[in-house]
Amino acid sequence: MTRPRSELVDRETGGVYHLGSRCVRRAMLCGRDNDGRDLSHRRAWIEDRLLELADLYTVHIRSYAVMSNHYHITADYAPQERFDLDDEEVARRWLRVYPPKRPDDVESGVAALLDDPDRLAVLRDRLGDLSWYMRCLNEYIARRANFEDGCTGRFWQGRFRSKGLPDERAACACMAYNDLNPIRAGMADRVDAPQHTSLQRRLEEADDEPERLDQPMAPLVRRDGKVTSAPPPAPRLDMTLREYRAHVEWTACILHDAPAPDPKGRAPPVRLGDPTSWCALVAACRQRTPAPSLPRWVRAAA
């Protein structure tokens, strides 16, 4: 039985959530469809939109993966942050979510909203609402894809998925699950392959700024046409990019038989903890798949 969203998402204190949506009828509406059309450019639409909205809503993107017929997001949801925004910031953010037809109308739109406190209060609540974030993501993609196809109707299958992650280890396992989706689907054979994943974007950023490898990871946003780590006061993870990559590469090696990145690649990373429970957490992110058993040599090394 479907549960109300209010029972799945804590709109008062927030938390870390696994979010996602799937195309209607599992159709490859962001890949190669049944007619042979290549629609993979839509994956960039989703990636850009989810990161742009993260700069406007009280949602901090930890990881994501955009596939041919679905996407995954691991996000820190911080609804109380909406009260830290002044009225003008609320107005400007909303007009970036739904921009006026003419750019010259932005300032007049801001002024009109500042003169309407009741409307501002509604918009402040929306900017702090996880369901509105997902609505603005999915609706935008559906309208754009339907316009491209010259059709109407559903693009996404039902409601978006949301699942709370009870602790930091479960959240990190969900992040790894997201970043490993292209490998599990056979679309890539290594974690830094050119796919629409958060780990790929983080590693691209580290190519330009090597110090990022040994800094605590920050949420990702899209600013000035570029994917980047959000500056302070954005929350930071208690894990560096170098440590996280080691976790993901080891998990790919064990669960998906990906090649080890180096001779020591099959040794569990120091901060992984118990390998059995870690792999079970990663596998549990895919609800219909039972947790795999680990090879005997992994259990012996644990």
Side-chain angles (χ1 to χ4, degrees):
M1 180 177 178
T2 302
R3 296 173 61 190
R5 187 69 63 186
S6 59
E7 295 182 11
L8 300 175
V9 175
D10 186 342
R11 201 170 177 276
E12 292 301 318
T13 60
V16 184
Y17 290 88
H18 183 191
L19 310 169
S21 287
R22 185 178 294 276
C23 293
V24 67
R25 299 184 304 278
R26 297 178 178 267
M28 299 295 182
L29 299 180
C30 300
R32 191 171 294 277
D33 69 7
N34 293 332
D35 296 327
R37 292 188 306 160
D38 185 1
L39 304 172
S40 58
H41 57 280
R42 293 177 179 174
R43 296 172 67 195
W45 294 357
I46 300 172
E47 182 180 20
D48 291 347
R49 183 67 172 175
L50 72 88
L51 292 172
E52 288 167 356
L53 291 176
D55 204 22
L56 305 175
Y57 284 79
T58 61
V59 176
H60 304 290
I61 304 300
R62 286 191 174 205
S63 77
Y64 63 86
V66 184
M67 307 296 286
S68 295
N69 68 352
H70 68 282
Y71 66 83
H72 295 276
I73 302 173
T74 303
D76 272 314
Y77 172 45
Q80 295 300 317
E81 287 183 1
R82 70 187 188 276
F83 298 118
D84 297 332
L85 305 175
D86 61 38
D87 289 348
E88 182 174 350
E89 180 68 11
V90 170
R92 291 192 179 279
R93 287 192 180 198
W94 189 253
L95 291 176
R96 287 174 60 192
V97 176
Y98 290 106
K101 292 182 179 180
R102 297 186 306 174
D104 294 343
D105 292 340
V106 171
E107 294 304 321
S108 59
V110 170
L113 288 175
L114 291 176
D115 287 338
D116 189 346
D118 292 339
R119 177 64 175 166
L120 270 181
V122 170
L123 299 184
R124 184 185 301 277
D125 280 345
R126 289 181 180 178
L127 291 175
D129 190 328
L130 188 62
S131 290
W132 266 91
Y133 169 84
M134 294 296 289
R135 171 180 176 170
C136 292
L137 168 58
N138 284 349
E139 180 183 11
Y140 171 87
I141 300 302
R143 289 181 181 274
R144 189 170 177 180
N146 283 350
F147 178 80
E148 183 179 63
D149 291 340
C151 69
T152 59
R154 284 188 175 271
F155 185 87
W156 301 107
Q157 178 179 292
R159 305 190 311 169
F160 70 90
R161 172 190 176 184
S162 60
K163 177 183 178 181
L165 300 169
D167 54 40
E168 190 64 21
R169 195 160 189 260
C172 289
C174 187
M175 292 170 59
Y177 172 82
N178 294 350
D179 284 315
L180 287 172
N181 251 247
I183 294 178
R184 183 178 62 81
M187 299 169 65
D189 60 1
R190 64 183 195 277
V191 300
D192 58 350
Q195 297 292 330
H196 295 278
T197 67
S198 52
L199 181 53
Q200 182 206 356
R201 299 301 178 221
R202 291 185 186 279
L203 293 174
E204 288 175 348
E205 185 181 33
D207 286 340
D208 296 330
E209 305 174 52
E211 65 275 11
R212 294 285 188 187
L213 284 170
D214 297 303
Q215 293 175 350
M217 292 191 296
L220 293 173
V221 296
R222 183 175 176 83
R223 293 180 180 173
D224 302 321
K226 181 181 179 181
V227 179
T228 183
S229 298
R236 306 277 169 162
L237 279 67
D238 183 26
M239 181 179 289
T240 67
L241 178 55
R242 191 185 302 277
E243 291 172 328
Y244 176 67
R245 177 174 183 167
H247 280 57
V248 175
E249 288 179 332
W250 184 87
T251 308
C253 177
I254 300 304
L255 295 187
H256 306 302
D257 201 28
D262 58 64
K264 297 180 180 179
R266 286 186 175 267
V270 175
R271 290 189 58 182
L272 185 75
D274 173 48
T276 301
S277 62
W278 167 261
C279 289
L281 282 172
V282 174
C285 295
R286 192 182 184 203
Q287 292 181 328
R288 294 179 297 276
T289 302
S293 59
L294 293 183
R296 184 179 303 171
W297 60 266
V298 176
R299 296 196 299 269

